Amino acid sequence: QVQLVESGGGLVQAGGSLRLSCAASGSIVVINDMGWYRQAPGKQRELVAAINRGGSTNYADSVKGRFTISRDNAKNTVYLQMNSLKPEDTAVYYCNAGVITLGILYEIDYWGKGTLVTVSS
């Protein structure tokens, strides 16, 4: 089994910054893609940013130029630096990882429980 634990959410004023972290633990052989998704009240979950093991990234248009995703493969950790936050960024942010574990020869998607980010105007 694999656990993803997010941290770093909270309340911030518009224009402010937050840094989210997500640490993966368990019987991990390798983590391929890692990403951050978010879900605002009444809306579907959407991709915010993703990064592959080699460091290639992609971002939702709404966060390009404001958010930066990065990862530390040695620590099995992914980060999301969020700058110039807007009220519309308010959501629960979820970490996602594609993981190959001991004894299983294919990749499984794992999700964290989420961390709430609230941006006040």
Side-chain angles (χ1 to χ4, degrees):
Q1 274 290 354
V2 173
Q3 296 78 41
L4 301 181
V5 179
E6 302 105 333
S7 61
L11 174 64
V12 64
Q13 288 189 331
S17 298
L18 283 174
R19 188 189 193 214
L20 305 183
S21 299
C22 172
S25 62
S27 302
I28 298 168
V29 174
V30 66
I31 302 177
N32 292 322
D33 290 356
M34 302 186 82
W36 289 94
Y37 290 71
R38 67 186 180 188
Q39 187 166 18
K43 295 188 176 181
Q44 289 189 331
R45 190 174 298 189
E46 62 175 359
L47 173 69
V48 176
I51 184 169
N52 67 16
R53 187 166 180 81
S56 295
T57 60
N58 66 283
Y59 295 91
D61 288 343
S62 59
V63 307
K64 283 181 181 176
R66 301 188 297 123
F67 291 10
T68 303
I69 189 170
S70 60
R71 65 188 284 175
D72 184 331
N73 291 332
K75 295 181 179 180
N76 291 331
T77 299
V78 63
Y79 307 95
L80 185 69
Q81 178 66 43
M82 305 185 293
N83 298 329
S84 302
L85 282 160
K86 304 175 181 180
E88 50 264 44
D89 294 318
T90 295
V92 177
Y93 284 70
Y94 296 91
C95 175
N96 170 263
V99 184
I100 297 176
T101 57
L102 288 172
I104 297 178
L105 300 180
Y106 55 88
E107 181 180 299
I108 297 175
D109 251 7
Y110 289 92
W111 291 88
K113 293 183 178 180
T115 184
L116 177 62
V117 171
T118 303
V119 184
S120 63
S121 57

